[in-house]
Amino acid sequence: MKALLSCTALAVALFGASHLAHADDFSTPSKQSDYNNSIDSYHWVARLGYSKVHSKPSNGQLAGMKADVGSSQRPTASIEYLLTPHWGFELLVAAPFSHTVSLNGARSAHTRQLPPVLGINYHFRVHSVVSPFVGVGANYTYFFDDKTRGGLIGNSIRVDNSWGFAAHAGVDFNISKNWLVTADVRWINLDTGVKLNGQRIGNVVVNPLVYGLSVGYRF
């Protein structure tokens, strides 16, 4: 959480600085035109940032008990290929997220996951300081390092991998023709089965919101 707050403060500072920079850059129509042409000529955007996976409350039942999946935050990176200045294909990757699974409020399992997302975005107002975007895509969540905790220690647990739909929305703050700061949120359809000692004991419906803040470079 501290990392997210620090990144937010950085984004606010950079956004304020961008207004001052653009006030000078766009002082004449020719400068605005040069900036627009530069933006249109780039085809890649690389971003590096930090994201928090926030699971929805109450994730279903496992073995007749209420299941809750904890939240997690990790560094993330993405690469976006711009087919046009407005349309782009994006791949999001992350360091492994780590989640605690509680049953009836007691910590009972732990798992790690990698959640790559491939999607397509549409960017509005690409020549402006503030450029919002929306997108859709597909997510594949790979679970690994599943372990039992508490009263389940000594048993084997397995969380199934999952395919799901993803929705995406955010805003780019264009600091210059190359540099930008991005704040975004994704909703991921994540519904997966859980096995204990090889026997299926139910499903967990995580359906998280993923909040992100990143710094990007356009080239």
Side-chain angles (χ1 to χ4, degrees):
M1 181 58 69
K2 290 182 179 179
L4 285 174
L5 291 174
S6 299
C7 288
T8 301
L10 174 62
V12 171
L14 291 174
F15 179 46
S18 73
H19 278 287
L20 297 177
H22 279 254
D24 178 65
D25 289 346
F26 300 163
S27 58
T28 67
S30 63
K31 287 186 177 181
Q32 173 73 68
S33 178
D34 288 344
Y35 173 83
N36 291 352
N37 290 336
S38 295
I39 291 290
D40 293 346
S41 68
Y42 297 125
H43 292 285
W44 295 92
V45 182
R47 296 180 178 88
L48 183 64
Y50 212 75
S51 294
K52 179 176 181 178
V53 174
H54 181 73
S55 305
K56 82 177 189 69
S58 185
N59 306 117
Q61 289 194 338
L62 295 175
M65 293 179 282
K66 178 186 174 184
D68 290 291
V69 179
S71 300
S72 181
Q73 53 194 33
R74 289 292 187 272
T76 53
S78 70
I79 185 72
E80 183 173 12
Y81 177 73
L82 298 171
L83 299 169
T84 73
H86 293 279
W87 290 98
F89 281 108
E90 182 186 33
L91 175 64
L92 172 75
V93 295
F97 289 96
S98 179
H99 301 276
T100 295
V101 181
S102 298
L103 298 178
N104 286 348
R107 293 186 177 185
S108 302
H110 177 272
T111 187
R112 302 174 72 194
Q113 52 100 349
L114 289 170
V117 179
L118 180 64
I120 185 167
N121 297 322
Y122 182 81
H123 299 266
F124 304 88
R125 300 173 56 85
V126 294
H127 300 130
S128 301
V129 176
V130 179
S131 175
F133 61 87
V134 294
V136 294
N139 162 255
Y140 179 74
T141 303
Y142 171 71
F143 290 94
F144 65 102
D145 199 21
D146 307 325
K147 296 178 180 178
T148 52
R149 294 283 190 271
L152 290 183
I153 286 182
N155 295 281
S156 172
I157 194 166
R158 174 61 184 161
V159 182
D160 295 336
N161 300 330
S162 169
W163 284 96
F165 169 80
H168 190 200
V171 60
D172 290 327
F173 300 101
N174 292 307
I175 299 170
S176 70
K177 64 183 181 181
N178 293 105
W179 291 97
L180 62 151
V181 171
T182 300
D184 66 345
V185 61
R186 299 173 194 266
W187 177 85
I188 295 176
N189 171 225
L190 204 173
D191 183 344
T192 184
V194 179
K195 297 183 179 71
L196 185 67
N197 297 327
Q199 298 296 315
R200 191 180 187 88
I201 58 172
N203 273 47
V204 288
V205 182
V206 185
N207 288 353
L209 287 173
V210 183
Y211 302 97
L213 194 63
S214 59
V215 175
Y217 184 77
R218 186 184 287 110
F219 59 98

